[in-house]
Amino acid sequence: MGMISRVRGRIRSDSFSKIPPVKSEDKIANIVWLLSLVLLLPFWAPRGLFVALGGAWLMAAYTCLVVPVLISANYKYPARWYPAVVKLAQKTGRRLKAPCACVLGVLKTAYAPLERAERIFLQMNNLSTMVFQLLIFTACDRLFVSKGKLTSLYSLMFYNVITYSVNYVREICTKEDWSPYVNVTRHSRVKHLAMSATKIVLEWTKAVTFIVTITFILLTLGLEQGLEHYSPTFLYTAITGIYYLLSEKTFIELWPIALSAMKFERLEGMEVMYFGVWARGITTALAVPLVPALAWCERWRLAVLVMYFCVFVHGRHRLGEALVKLNEARGSLARFRRATAEELARLEDVCAVCLGGMRSARVTPCAHFFHADCLRRCLATSDRCPICVRPYVFC
């Protein structure tokens, strides 16, 4: 009995005391990790399961709902082995840094001719925009419209007709010279008969074409003639319509005007730059989820084309250039502080550059007030104050 008591006491004092108690946070972290494995199992399930339940978009909805929750839960309750994995990855990355730099250098040299071709392609703005639109419309055609092989072409034609009508109305609204005649010279009153006749015929042709176009649209939508094989879904119309409105040149020029009319003070007169970033960011974001959806539906070639042109080329060049311009503009103004509401109310002055009222302004070191966009334009030509012509000296 004495031997048993001594052994029992030693076990209680030594062995169990060395086993650390499991904390509640560790328990939660282990549970979160196990639940993550369970919730990620559908991604390894056969494709036919989700097709039978709801198609590729059921998988997309499941991903948007579950993956952010799993990431946030694992970030809040990390398992003990997460830091060790991170350290191992950092150590491996430092060891592979030099070989990876060499490989990236070789790939960059090999990619240089292709990059030049991409820039030449993007310089042809109308052609590149049409290619991007066709790819997005075709991808939406394959995903959202059943047996609609020409839906993308019908949609693009319909949107182009609307664009033509908007362009004509805009031309009428901004037109200043309503005279049907053309003078021989700018300061002459002698009419050029041939040019005047050509101008009259051209204006009448535009007007008749506009009337015929509007009539065609009303008949097509009202009587539904020729739309037997055109049956787009709401999601198809929403995605293609948003993409077209944010990528077509006509609407890209009109949206900043609407933003300027709203007079958002935070934009500081740089609506064109902000909208350029927003439009290119939204169009790139619309193309991103189409790639895995096309791959899920085994449309591999179309998925690769959308990934390369609409995501990589469009995002890298057009979105990247818009971000660079916006950051440069904001960086040039970062040195100048914003004027407070009290200063503007006490000043009751106009901008010395554009002679417009100031609801928001930037203050120079010499205590002069300018619109942010006006000051940015002045900084592009000179680093001196437009009023006192002193160089800017910042403390």
Side-chain angles (χ1 to χ4, degrees), residues 79-328:
R80 286 191 171 185
W81 52 271
Y82 285 178
V85 172
V86 172
K87 289 182 180 179
L88 180 62
Q90 292 176 350
K91 186 177 180 180
T92 306
R94 286 193 293 268
R95 289 183 178 180
L96 296 177
K97 186 176 181 180
C100 288
C102 296
V103 173
L104 288 176
V106 174
L107 292 177
K108 187 176 181 180
T109 304
Y111 179 70
L114 184 59
E115 184 178 7
R116 288 195 294 270
E118 291 172 359
R119 295 188 179 278
I120 293 173
F121 171 70
L122 291 174
Q123 288 175 359
M124 299 181 286
N125 190 38
N126 294 332
L127 177 62
S128 59
T129 301
M130 186 182 67
V131 170
F132 294 151
Q133 292 172 354
L134 276 175
L135 287 174
I136 295 296
F137 282 39
T138 306
C140 294
D141 198 352
R142 296 295 184 267
L143 292 173
F144 307 121
V145 183
S146 60
K147 299 180 181 179
K149 296 183 178 180
L150 295 178
T151 303
S152 58
L153 297 181
Y154 279 122
S155 302
L156 191 58
M157 180 184 67
F158 181 72
Y159 292 153
N160 285 329
V161 169
I162 294 177
T163 304
Y164 169 77
S165 304
V166 172
N167 271 327
Y168 185 73
V169 173
R170 179 187 178 188
E171 181 181 349
I172 292 176
C173 294
T174 58
K175 191 173 183 178
E176 297 180 356
D177 183 15
W178 288 90
S179 173
Y181 304 107
V182 178
N183 296 331
V184 176
T185 61
R186 178 178 299 179
H187 302 289
S188 174
R189 295 184 178 180
V190 179
K191 312 300 180 184
H192 195 298
L193 296 180
M195 294 297 296
S196 299
T198 303
K199 183 178 179 180
I200 293 172
V201 172
L202 181 61
E203 293 298 330
W204 274 102
T205 304
K206 288 181 179 179
V208 172
T209 304
F210 175 73
I211 295 173
V212 172
T213 302
I214 296 299
T215 306
F216 168 75
I217 293 175
L218 294 177
L219 289 176
T220 302
L221 296 179
L223 302 178
E224 296 184 357
Q225 296 295 322
L227 298 178
E228 293 84 1
H229 303 287
Y230 181 72
S231 56
T233 61
F234 173 77
L235 191 58
Y236 173 90
T237 306
I239 294 178
T240 55
I242 293 173
Y243 192 91
Y244 189 86
L245 289 175
L246 295 179
S247 60
E248 187 63 26
K249 180 180 178 181
T250 300
F251 297 103
I252 290 178
E253 295 174 352
L254 290 176
W255 286 118
I257 298 176
L259 283 176
S260 300
M262 296 179 184
K263 296 180 179 180
F264 291 112
E265 297 181 8
R266 298 295 300 177
L267 301 183
E268 295 185 311
M270 297 185 291
E271 287 84 0
V272 176
M273 294 185 180
Y274 277 100
F275 180 77
V277 174
W278 295 343
R280 287 164 174 80
I282 293 173
T283 50
T284 305
L286 286 175
V288 169
L290 297 179
V291 176
L294 289 170
W296 185 265
C297 296
E298 296 182 356
R299 303 280 184 177
W300 300 106
R301 287 180 292 184
L302 186 57
V304 171
L305 289 174
V306 172
M307 179 66 188
Y308 177 69
F309 284 100
C310 301
V311 178
F312 179 73
V313 176
H314 184 271
R316 181 171 181 263
H317 292 283
R318 287 190 173 172
L319 178 58
E321 291 174 0
L323 282 171
V324 168
K325 291 181 180 179
L326 179 60
N327 290 331
E328 287 179 353

